[in-house]
Amino acid sequence: MSLFRLRGVVTSGVLGLAVSVLTIETAHAQLFYAAGAQFGDRTGIGLFQEQNGQVTQIPTGFVEHNFPSISRDNNFIVFSSPDPVTPALQVPPSSDIYVYSRASGQTRRVVDHTTSVVSPSEVDSYTPVSAVLSPDNQVIAYGVMLTRREGLANPQSTKELNIARASDGLILANPTFGRGPVSDAFQAEFVGISWDPSGNSFVTPTYFSVPTQAGSVQQLPGIVRYTRNQSDGSWFISSTLSQPRYFDAQIPIGAETQIYPAISPSGTGLAYFHLTWPDVFGNSQGVVARIVVANSDGSNAVFFSPFPQGPQSGFYPVGLAWDPSGSSLIFSIAPQINVGTGYLALADATAAVVRRVNLNTGEITQVNGVDAGFFPSISQVGSFGSPAGVKLGIVSQGNGQFVLKATGVDPNLLYRLQSSTTPDAGGFGTPQNFLGSQLLAGINAAPGTQTRFFRLIQ
């Protein structure tokens, strides 16, 4: 599928008609990531873009960008950011989910989480742990942590998975509804979401039952695939893709878990981080993190070290993404936080670095122009091979009649044309199919009361 990216807008001179200026992406994919940055006198988490070794900061209007991810078509960046602190509540604020449009330079809030007072002593807050647009930009799948506190003491948390409409944040499905509180001692559930290119499924970590070394059963986080039920629009776990393990016949008790899954650009491969925990209860030793690359069903798993000298303990992952070529992975790794009494299931993001692993050779290299950073996300446009010279335009036919024409298209190929009154994610509706010959001849475009934007997909 070739998607011609919206770069700007030119009006036709007629009220209600506009057409996107369609230009071709370069063959080099763009890397997006978060890193520490100064915003005046305040230290925050900036959003950055790298292309051809050149790094620029993206001005979204916010000073904190958590779990940023680029849409498959390279037009939108999803991230979460906390609300202003409310001193009277004396708790961390809730965080909302935003979509930044690279075409308009505008940031729009899609999911609004509000810290609420349940009773004089109980306060609820909501913190997203992931958020990713579907390939068609119509919905966002996100994990969110719900925390209830009695003042500053006794915080109790659980997590939920939601699928929301990208246009207004309306929750369309909640696959975890009704399951009750879930303990997330490994801080892994829904940490990383990746959509299949078809848009009918995505992968993410969640807890499921696994047999233990001593013959018991334990709940551990591993990678699963959620698939949409075509009949009613609900989502369900259709398969487990990784194998967590629990070693309770040894002292100290150990475990293996998985987080940060990423589906390959073609949809045929799967990558994720595999974590070995030498001491589950005492946390006296740091984890050993390795990268796994497997088939999309989890089979034929191959391990890669995130370090040139081999696996090391005490380092924790902070994101994983495929290069559009499918021949390498971009990842972030950081020292695991140690509070003196033991290691936590957390990374010191202030010391995180971004690196590349070549899947053919296993070689670890630095990304050109990038060192410090976390939550890497890569545009997939470069893999589409968009043909050059395609343009859209509106032509007057006289008597108030106008047609939308394309140049540079193949008259024998089928194209999909979408329109919207906004360039925002989720705004474009069901596409109409046209042969290239029809687009060359012109499609009727009647003026209306609202400006319309057009997008062409092959």
Side-chain angles (χ1 to χ4, degrees):
M1 180 182 72
S2 295
L3 176 60
F4 307 106
R5 196 177 81 77
L6 184 85
R7 282 289 183 89
V9 172
V10 292
T11 61
S12 64
V14 177
L15 178 65
L17 284 180
V19 62
S20 58
V21 178
L22 300 174
T23 59
I24 306 305
E25 291 293 331
T26 67
H28 300 283
Q30 295 171 308
L31 168 66
F32 300 86
Y33 63 97
Q38 287 298 126
F39 297 85
D41 59 353
R42 179 177 174 182
T43 300
I45 300 173
L47 183 60
F48 295 87
Q49 168 190 322
E50 176 275 332
Q51 186 172 19
N52 300 325
Q54 299 296 315
V55 176
T56 56
Q57 187 169 347
I58 301 174
T60 67
F62 288 80
V63 299
E64 190 168 332
H65 305 81
N66 295 313
F67 302 99
S69 63
I70 184 72
S71 63
R72 188 173 178 84
D73 65 5
N74 205 18
N75 285 333
F76 306 100
I77 303 174
V78 182
F79 64 92
S80 68
S81 194
D83 292 332
V85 176
T86 305
L89 295 179
Q90 297 184 1
V91 296
S94 293
S95 291
D96 300 331
I97 297 174
Y98 297 87
V99 173
Y100 171 78
S101 169
R102 300 184 65 206
S104 66
Q106 301 298 310
T107 302
R108 180 174 58 90
R109 182 169 58 192
V110 177
V111 178
D112 185 5
H113 292 126
T114 303
T115 298
S116 58
V117 178
V118 180
S119 70
S121 62
E122 294 182 333
V123 178
D124 286 351
S125 60
Y126 304 82
T127 308
V129 296
S130 55
V132 182
L133 272 167
S134 60
D136 62 2
N137 297 331
Q138 296 300 301
V139 300
I140 296 176
Y142 68 94
V144 60
M145 180 171 65
L146 290 69
T147 303
R148 174 165 291 186
R149 289 176 172 83
E150 297 179 4
L152 291 176
N154 193 28
Q156 297 182 356
S157 299
T158 189
K159 289 180 180 175
E160 287 190 357
L161 177 66
N162 292 323
I163 293 91
R165 198 160 59 193
S167 58
D168 57 9
L170 177 69
I171 295 177
L172 303 175
N174 174 210
T176 53
F177 178 77
R179 68 173 182 173
V182 174
S183 173
D184 188 8
F186 292 94
Q187 297 298 306
E189 193 163 43
F190 312 132
V191 175
I193 291 176
S194 181
W195 285 86
D196 184 87
S198 69
N200 291 317
S201 69
F202 59 83
V203 296
T204 192
T206 193
Y207 283 79
F208 52 87
S209 298
V210 298
T212 72
Q213 187 182 37
S216 182
V217 175
Q218 183 72 32
Q219 293 284 311
L220 290 178
I223 311 303
V224 304
R225 183 183 295 271
Y226 277 90
T227 298
R228 186 165 68 94
N229 187 321
Q230 299 296 328
S231 61
D232 61 8
S234 62
W235 292 79
F236 63 97
I237 295 177
S238 58
S239 58
T240 58
L241 306 178
S242 71
Q243 184 56 61
R245 296 197 293 175
Y246 196 74
F247 306 104
D248 55 353
Q250 64 183 42
I251 299 297
I253 293 174
E256 294 177 347
T257 64
Q258 297 85 34
I259 57 175
Y260 286 119
I263 294 178
S264 68
S266 65
T268 60
L270 171 70
Y272 53 85
F273 264 101
H274 177 97
L275 303 181
T276 300
W277 303 80
D279 182 6
V280 170
F281 292 105
N283 299 316
S284 60
Q285 303 175 56
V287 302
V288 176
R290 291 180 292 170
I291 296 170
V292 174
V293 177
N295 295 332
S296 60
D297 62 358
S299 63
N300 296 325
V302 177
F303 286 76
F304 293 84
S305 170
F307 300 101
Q309 63 271 37
Q312 299 183 55
S313 65
F315 289 89
Y316 207 84
V318 208
L320 181 68
W322 284 85
D323 183 271
S325 68
S327 62
S328 64
L329 292 165
I330 307 295
F331 65 91
S332 177
I333 197 85
Q336 187 178 2
I337 292 178
N338 189 326
V339 293
T341 56
Y343 287 90
L344 303 181
L346 293 171
D348 179 5
T350 62
V353 296
V354 175
R355 294 292 185 265
R356 180 190 300 272
V357 56
N358 185 308
L359 299 182
N360 296 316
T361 65
E363 181 184 14
I364 307 296
T365 57
Q366 185 171 333
V367 177
N368 190 19
V370 180
D371 185 25
F374 45 97
F375 301 138
S377 182
I378 308 177
S379 67
Q380 300 297 314
V381 171
S383 65
F384 292 162
S386 301
V390 175
K391 294 182 180 179
L392 281 178
I394 292 176
V395 179
S396 173
Q397 298 292 89
N399 299 321
Q401 299 300 311
F402 296 85
V403 295
L404 181 71
K405 284 190 172 184
T407 59
V409 295
D410 187 324
N412 299 311
L413 291 182
L414 189 67
Y415 296 83
R416 292 183 290 165
L417 183 67
Q418 290 178 292
S419 66
S420 174
T421 57
T422 171
D424 290 337
F428 288 90
T430 303
Q432 292 179 281
N433 294 330
F434 294 98
L435 284 171
S437 57
Q438 294 175 289
L439 294 167
L440 288 168
I443 307 298
N444 289 333
T449 58
Q450 290 182 293
T451 297
R452 282 180 292 159
F453 300 83
F454 295 89
R455 183 167 67 176
L456 194 63
I457 303 172
Q458 180 182 319

